[in-house]
Amino acid sequence: MDIVIDSLTYTYPGQAAPALKDVSLEIGAGELCCLIGANGAGKSTLCCAIAGFVPHFYKGEMYGSVVVGGVDTVQRSIGDLARRVGIVFQNPFDQITGATLTVFAEVAFGLENLGTPRDETRRRIEDVLRKVGLWELRDRSPLELSGGQQQRLAIASVLAMDPPIIVLDEATSQLDPAGTRDIWRIIARLHAAGKTLLVAEHKMEYVARHASKVVLLQGGKVIACGSPREVLGRDDLARCGVRRPPFMEIMRGLTQRGLWQGPMPLTLEDAAAVLKEVARR
Amino acid sequence: MKPLTPYVHRNSPIHRLNPLTKGAFFLCVVIVAFTAPFLWVVLSLLGAVVIVAAAAKVTRNLIALVLKSAFLIVVLIFIVQGLFYPGSKAALWTIGPVTVWREGLRFASFTASRLLAIIAATVLFMLTTRAEDLVSEMMAHGLSRKLGYVVLMSMQIMPQMQARAAAILDAQRSRGLETEGGLMKRFRAYVPIIGPLVVGSIISLETRSLAIEARGFSSSTRRVRVEEIHDSRGEQMARWAAAAAMASFVVWRLVSWISSLIR
Amino acid sequence: MSGGTGTQVGIVLDNVRYEYPNGVVALRGVSITMGKGETVAIVGENGAGKTTLAKHLNGLLKPTSGSVTVDGIDTRGRTAASLARLVGFVFQNPDDQLFQNQVSREVAFGPRNLGYAADRVEKLVRWAVEQVEITDLLARHPYDLGLAQRKLVAIASVVAMDTPYIVLDEPTTGQDYPGTEKLGRLVARLGSAGKTVMAITHDMEFAAEHFARIIVMAQGQVILDGSPREVFSHPSGLERASVEPPQLARLGQLMGLGECILNEEDLLRSLC
Ligand SMILES: Nc1ncnc2c1ncn2[C@@H]1O[C@H](COP(=O)(O)OP(=O)(O)OP(=O)(O)O)[C@@H](O)[C@H]1O
Ligand SMILES: Nc1ncnc2c1ncn2[C@@H]1O[C@H](COP(=O)(O)OP(=O)(O)OP(=O)(O)O)[C@@H](O)[C@H]1O
Ligand SMILES: [Mg+2]
Ligand SMILES: [Mg+2]
């Protein structure tokens, strides 16, 4: 399923300036699109627009359109959109329904709403809880988890519903480094399986490694949209509040000094290989 | 943070009952306790609730919660009614200017027992029934998603406020707000945070509703619970019987009330 | 009430064990000593017990066994509110903490509770928002801000209490690079003002760049404790705690360089 955003301008209620300004964007089916930009750039607002929270939940003033898999979000309720778009909120605590008493039931909640058959529900819950490392804690109350565990639960409950479009709003922000790596591995696998993914992320190392497309936002506007190499190679990146991964900074230094002419490596492994070669010379 | 509902999981026949059956009997207790003309009826209801609680293995939780929620108001009832019951004639004791009236005390114990029976039944119901199960069952029996949603959210308001208050209080204690100590001190600590607490709870309730919506709660498909909720012919019949009994009880009370008016 | 002698400066955790009411044992014998002016980063896997540990420092939680003393004062005899004069604590979730309808009022709440005079409160507020570099937000409503900015407001509102110890639970969560740098500068400033700063973080670059000491936790225990260079030279310990070294250190490992690389200079030195 694809996402087509056409000249979207949105202002939160009571705010003078719009949070998104004339955003036009096409995210093709099967794309892994990363949203990057400084705090307040509008990443979360854009994520919310795709899930229909903007304007259904936040109200406010919206111009332009967001079409998800051929359906205009304004025409559908959030509940109906939930079949197409799964979203992991920026603050995991906000995602816990409070309607359930165990981690297991919390993941089940969404599947139950979709009318998934019982055996299938059980199978999916076990699968997804094992993937995020919460299977041992399945009988625990969702409120008796650490911050990172709550974030894993939020991710699990969205993944379990298996929607064609998955939006992750800084879903690894409270995870330990190994957890971040694991979730990104899952994201990459979903990408390979043909899901459409939109991921807001500050951890550029993973953006460089996995994104098929990167969108750079600043002050509610799309500044750049293209391959990770293009966007992360921009000179104005720091001015947009984004830090290039340190290894890329080193590679740029080499290129500027004429020590390396090849393409910019996007992973640590490639960078190490290049550096070793340069050092040998 | 405490869980959002007082539900306590136990392996008991009461827990296994269908939520609607428990709901029906809970309503019976409330109606009877509210309208029963004799103290002994109300007291036996209270006894019945305790016995059922014992069968559900939650007696201790029940007593703790009932005491916590009813203590202050029961004391108030006794003070107000004992001292100021209108038209009292029989003085029990007189200490200086204060007189305790016999009629007042009798009325107070009746009112307090009604209240205790109703609170105990409510607490017992909540201790043994998950809100989610109740709402699921109501929706399976034709309650609309919208209403189901309202019921689910309203069952969460109080516990939500509590959880939110606990979090806010912890944060403000960390910023030097003294919340431990005497009643006066605690009272003064709570005053500045009441407003924010209410606003904060409304915001967090809105966020919860968003979380629930985003999981497709109001989507048009029929919900399928992963854990089947048992219901039997027997339970269904018991519910009908309870409804019929209640209807006749209410009619009887109405008739005797109207006839007492006419006379 | 256990009165402190006041002679012993610093925070001392002695064999602290903590069990939550639901039976989860979150700390299993943690002993740490933190001196005045130290900057300490705590890292480790999700659920390691970092937040639980932090809540012990200002008396929000009391050890099930073992003891926590701040400047010689045992926390067990004290309320969290009375310890707030000594230890400032910023919550992992800013939404638990913020409740005023204006940033300036939010930041003033703590110092006002401590009973400071109006002009001192005003000075502290100004100073705090300057330290955290959010002067431009003073007139805003906290709920209109994004999560990362709300976090900065929460931090300023604790910094304003001017306590000798400051505990930050995941300050870097959701911060962009300028925000993380702001926090780095904040840590440095507070540290050079003689305050002890302890921050929990999952950002290893942040920990390595801005803290003199790193404590690694896993499963309710401290498994490594030392300078960034020492700690990041222990791959097996780090792995046990689901932590990986900063990017450049990993780059160094991939290149087969022996020493622990923490910055570009290290890299250039070991290459030449
Ligand atoms: N609920 C709200 N009400 C009013 N204004 C808001 C609200 N949420 C966000 N904003 C404002 O809208 C703008 C965009 O915010 P948004 O949260 O989308 O940014 P972001 O890129 O996700 O930032 P971050 O990296 O901090 O998550 C900001 O100026 C923010 O202050
Ligand atoms: N309120 C609570 N009640 C019961 N158990 C809890 C509670 N909060 C946390 N726990 C459990 O205690 C352990 C330690 O939790 P803690 O929050 O201290 O972890 P943490 O190191 O801060 O993790 P994170 O990096 O995810 O924030 C975890 O196993 C967690 O599940
Ligand atoms: Mg955001
Ligand atoms: Mg934590």
Side-chain angles (χ1 to χ4, degrees):
Chain A
M1 256 184 212
D2 63 343
I3 305 167
V4 183
I5 301 169
D6 187 28
S7 7
L8 173 66
T9 297
Y10 171 75
T11 315
Y12 282 100
Q15 299 295 306
L20 292 175
K21 292 172 195 149
D22 197 24
V23 171
S24 294
L25 205 58
E26 265 182 55
I27 301 168
E31 197 120 47
L32 168 43
C33 176
C34 286
L35 275 181
I36 63 173
N39 294 140
K43 303 182 293 296
S44 297
T45 311
L46 191 56
C47 291
C48 288
I50 289 163
F53 298 179
V54 159
H56 292 305
F57 177 78
Y58 288 103
K59 310 291 185 239
E61 229 174 290
M62 173 170 147
Y63 301 98
S65 68
V66 179
V67 177
V68 180
V71 164
D72 193 324
T73 54
V74 178
Q75 311 289 325
R76 296 290 170 93
S77 73
I78 293 174
D80 279 332
L81 284 170
R83 283 183 176 277
R84 303 169 169 255
V85 186
I87 177 169
V88 180
F89 300 2
Q90 182 162 9
N91 190 348
F93 182 72
D94 288 345
Q95 188 135 23
I96 288 169
T97 61
T100 62
L101 298 173
T102 63
V103 166
F104 188 93
E106 180 70 16
V107 179
F109 190 80
L111 291 167
E112 293 173 338
N113 291 333
L114 297 186
T116 319
R118 293 205 171 91
D119 292 338
E120 168 84 7
T121 300
R122 285 211 189 85
R123 198 183 52 70
R124 282 209 224 163
I125 297 174
E126 175 165 356
D127 176 53
V128 80
L129 282 181
R130 281 193 193 282
K131 271 191 192 145
V132 302
L134 287 183
W135 179 243
E136 315 295 277
L137 302 183
R138 62 187 174 277
D139 292 325
R140 188 82 75 76
S141 157
L143 296 170
E144 289 170 349
L145 296 177
S146 77
Q149 290 166 341
Q150 272 179 354
Q151 193 156 44
R152 288 163 191 254
L153 175 58
I155 296 170
S157 34
V158 170
L159 292 186
M161 291 171 73
D162 196 30
I165 299 174
I166 300 174
V167 179
L168 298 124
D169 190 0
E170 294 184 36
T172 65
S173 61
Q174 300 192 38
L175 297 192
D176 56 45
T180 304
R181 211 185 323 127
D182 292 345
I183 295 301
W184 268 102
R185 215 172 271 151
I186 295 174
I187 294 174
R189 223 175 289 146
L190 290 168
H191 177 47
K195 296 267 177 213
T196 307
L197 293 134
L198 182 69
V199 186
E201 181 63 279
H202 284 301
K203 297 173 182 168
M204 292 307 140
E205 186 188 340
Y206 292 99
V207 173
R209 183 187 289 266
H210 294 293
S212 70
K213 179 179 199 160
V214 180
V215 174
L216 173 62
L217 286 175
Q218 190 188 24
K221 287 199 193 116
V222 175
I223 298 287
C225 172
S227 72
R229 206 168 261 125
E230 272 171 64
V231 178
L232 291 180
R234 285 174 71 97
D235 295 326
D236 64 352
L237 207 58
R239 244 178 296 133
C240 295
V242 176
R243 181 197 204 183
R244 228 185 305 280
F247 76 85
M248 278 186 139
E249 215 56 78
I250 289 176
M251 295 307 304
R252 273 167 74 91
L254 291 185
T255 312
Q256 271 156 20
R257 268 176 276 157
L259 291 170
W260 170 250
Q261 266 79 38
M264 170 66 79
L266 290 174
T267 64
L268 215 51
E269 291 80 6
D270 291 354
V274 170
L275 275 172
K276 262 199 273 190
E277 197 188 312
V278 172
R280 223 181 313 122
R281 279 198 257 132
Chain B
M1 205 188 292
K2 277 181 300 179
L4 292 185
T5 51
Y7 175 80
V8 180
H9 192 68
R10 293 283 143 80
N11 189 8
S12 87
I14 309 294
H15 282 75
R16 282 192 294 273
L17 279 180
N18 187 282
L20 295 179
T21 312
K22 279 178 273 190
F25 281 93
F26 155 70
L27 282 179
C28 289
V29 174
V30 170
I31 293 173
V32 176
F34 210 69
T35 54
F38 310 114
L39 182 59
W40 65 264
V41 175
V42 178
L43 288 181
S44 25
L45 276 180
L46 202 53
V49 169
V50 175
I51 290 170
V52 176
K57 305 176 197 164
V58 292
T59 324
R60 205 171 289 186
N61 309 63
L62 178 85
I63 292 173
L65 274 172
V66 169
L67 281 185
K68 213 165 106 187
S69 48
F71 180 73
L72 202 63
I73 186 148
V74 166
V75 169
L76 274 178
I77 290 178
F78 271 94
I79 292 177
V80 172
Q81 301 296 348
L83 302 183
F84 309 112
Y85 189 67
S88 297
K89 292 197 194 72
L92 209 54
W93 311 293
T94 305
I95 310 155
V98 183
T99 309
V100 180
W101 303 99
R102 189 182 291 273
E103 291 93 333
L105 278 194
R106 189 171 304 137
F107 184 78
S109 35
F110 204 174
T111 313
S113 314
R114 283 191 207 278
L115 196 76
L116 279 179
I118 291 171
I119 291 179
T122 314
V123 169
L124 178 62
F125 183 48
M126 301 210 318
L127 278 172
T128 56
T129 314
R130 298 189 190 106
E132 199 198 355
D133 290 349
L134 176 69
V135 173
S136 282
E137 273 303 280
M138 286 163 76
M139 292 197 329
H141 284 77
L143 184 75
S144 75
R145 286 252 167 157
K146 273 224 161 66
L147 268 175
Y149 178 80
V150 170
V151 175
L152 192 60
M153 290 318 277
S154 54
M155 286 184 72
Q156 283 185 35
I157 286 185
M158 279 321 289
Q160 282 270 350
M161 293 263 272
Q162 266 176 5
R164 178 84 199 161
I168 291 187
L169 275 180
D170 258 2
Q172 307 328 322
R173 288 202 286 152
S174 309
R175 289 201 279 163
L177 187 72
E178 192 60 78
T179 59
E180 294 155 271
L183 203 63
M184 211 44 221
K185 208 170 196 176
R186 285 221 300 261
F187 181 72
R188 239 178 296 146
Y190 284 86
V191 169
I193 65 164
I194 288 173
L197 183 62
V198 172
V199 175
S201 323
I202 292 171
I203 290 178
S204 76
L205 215 58
E206 276 181 355
T207 334
R208 290 290 160 253
S209 77
L210 183 61
I212 289 178
E213 271 301 275
R215 295 291 182 81
F217 187 73
S218 69
S219 94
S220 29
T221 335
R222 194 186 154 82
R223 243 172 96 80
V224 178
R225 288 302 305 278
V226 63
E227 277 180 69
E228 228 166 329
I229 298 172
H230 296 282
D231 200 7
S232 63
R233 201 80 217 135
E235 282 194 49
Q236 279 169 21
M237 265 147 60
R239 288 201 293 269
W240 282 114
M246 271 320 97
S248 23
F249 181 79
V250 169
V251 169
W252 171 58
R253 290 305 303 151
L254 271 178
V255 169
S256 52
W257 179 60
I258 291 170
S259 56
S260 77
L261 280 188
I262 295 168
R263 237 182 281 140
Chain C
M1 183 170 276
S2 67
T5 53
T7 49
Q8 188 183 7
V9 171
I11 293 184
V12 181
L13 289 95
D14 183 27
N15 202 16
V16 173
R17 196 185 128 85
Y18 183 76
E19 186 175 335
Y20 277 102
N22 66 351
V24 176
V25 181
L27 297 175
R28 310 169 180 268
V30 171
S31 298
I32 297 173
T33 305
M34 272 178 284
K36 265 231 130 65
E38 259 197 289
T39 53
V40 184
I42 305 233
V43 304
E45 61 182 3
N46 292 134
K50 304 181 296 296
T51 298
T52 309
L53 172 78
K55 286 186 176 170
H56 274 82
L57 303 186
N58 74 337
L60 273 179
L61 297 178
K62 307 283 157 69
T64 310
S65 69
S67 73
V68 179
T69 55
V70 183
D71 285 352
I73 299 166
D74 194 321
T75 60
R76 232 167 322 185
R78 293 300 187 96
T79 62
S82 69
L83 285 166
R85 231 165 255 287
L86 281 175
V87 186
F89 177 68
V90 183
F91 279 62
Q92 186 161 352
N93 183 3
D95 295 345
D96 284 347
Q97 193 178 331
L98 303 180
F99 74 111
Q100 303 276 358
N101 55 12
Q102 200 176 26
V103 171
S104 57
R105 224 167 290 155
E106 187 70 55
V107 180
F109 182 81
R112 223 173 257 152
N113 273 332
L114 298 184
Y116 296 146
D119 57 334
R120 170 128 190 247
V121 171
E122 202 174 311
K123 255 188 224 136
L124 283 172
V125 170
R126 190 132 290 283
W127 173 75
V129 294
E130 274 163 14
Q131 298 297 302
V132 188
E133 303 176 35
I134 54 162
T135 316
D136 52 321
L137 299 183
L138 267 177
R140 299 283 297 274
H141 192 303
Y143 273 107
D144 292 345
L145 302 172
L147 188 65
Q149 285 185 315
R150 288 210 292 282
K151 187 96 199 190
L152 293 180
V153 173
I155 292 171
S157 69
V158 167
V159 168
M161 289 163 47
D162 196 18
T163 51
Y165 302 94
I166 294 183
V167 181
L168 307 165
D169 198 350
E170 298 199 20
T172 49
T173 300
Q175 298 294 337
D176 57 11
Y177 186 55
T180 310
E181 288 289 283
K182 267 183 198 179
L183 290 169
R185 290 191 289 272
L186 173 72
V187 171
R189 283 187 205 123
L190 294 174
S192 58
K195 294 181 189 296
T196 307
V197 184
M198 192 191 102
I200 297 171
T201 186
H202 290 300
D203 181 342
M204 297 307 137
E205 266 81 26
F206 180 70
E209 280 168 34
H210 301 289
F211 293 83
R213 176 177 170 195
I214 298 181
I215 293 175
V216 183
M217 287 185 69
Q219 296 178 350
Q221 283 173 324
V222 171
I223 58 171
L224 290 172
D225 183 347
S227 71
R229 206 169 287 281
E230 284 163 1
V231 163
F232 289 127
S233 314
H234 280 90
S236 62
L238 296 175
E239 200 172 322
R240 232 179 91 205
S242 296
V243 166
E244 51 186 25
Q247 222 178 80
L248 290 185
R250 278 180 284 140
L251 187 66
Q253 282 169 9
L254 284 169
M255 294 171 64
L257 305 176
E259 79 173 294
C260 174
I261 310 287
L262 288 181
N263 47 41
E264 273 185 56
E265 289 98 81
D266 287 353
L267 187 67
L268 291 178
R269 191 159 15 87
S270 69
L271 278 179
C272 300

